[in-house]
Amino acid sequence: MAQAYLRAGQRFWNNHPEAKVHQRYDNVYEWFARDVFFPREKDWQKANVSLFGKPDWKDFLEREFGIDLTL
């Protein structure tokens, strides 16, 4: 399910370069992680910032779901 969601999200990302998601997120993995794991904006803001930079959301999702998410 996660792979299908991400593939569809990647198609949207590629076909709509002017969409607001490009302003808000760095990639489709970050967009997916926000939608699935962080229903509240303030929780997302806390999770997406650290002293060591932004998390690698693709790596996080691969570990969380136990699958390869290479699109």
Side-chain angles (χ1 to χ4, degrees):
M1 189 88 152
Q3 288 174 319
Y5 188 105
L6 284 160
R7 278 193 301 272
Q10 188 66 53
R11 280 193 306 274
F12 179 87
W13 187 274
N14 294 341
N15 293 324
H16 298 87
E18 299 300 319
K20 291 188 182 216
V21 295
H22 290 278
Q23 296 168 7
R24 183 165 180 154
Y25 305 107
D26 291 339
N27 54 52
V28 71
Y29 303 107
E30 186 175 337
W31 182 18
F32 178 79
R34 165 47 170 107
D35 284 353
V36 172
F37 293 100
F38 302 95
R40 296 183 338 169
E41 182 63 26
K42 74 178 195 175
D43 295 336
W44 168 249
Q45 289 172 354
K46 281 192 240 179
N48 204 35
V49 177
S50 78
L51 294 173
F52 305 106
K54 287 182 141 189
D56 180 347
W57 291 109
K58 180 181 182 278
D59 182 57
F60 168 80
L61 293 170
E62 286 179 329
R63 284 183 285 115
E64 188 68 24
F65 292 112
I67 55 178
D68 178 19
L69 293 177
T70 303
L71 301 175

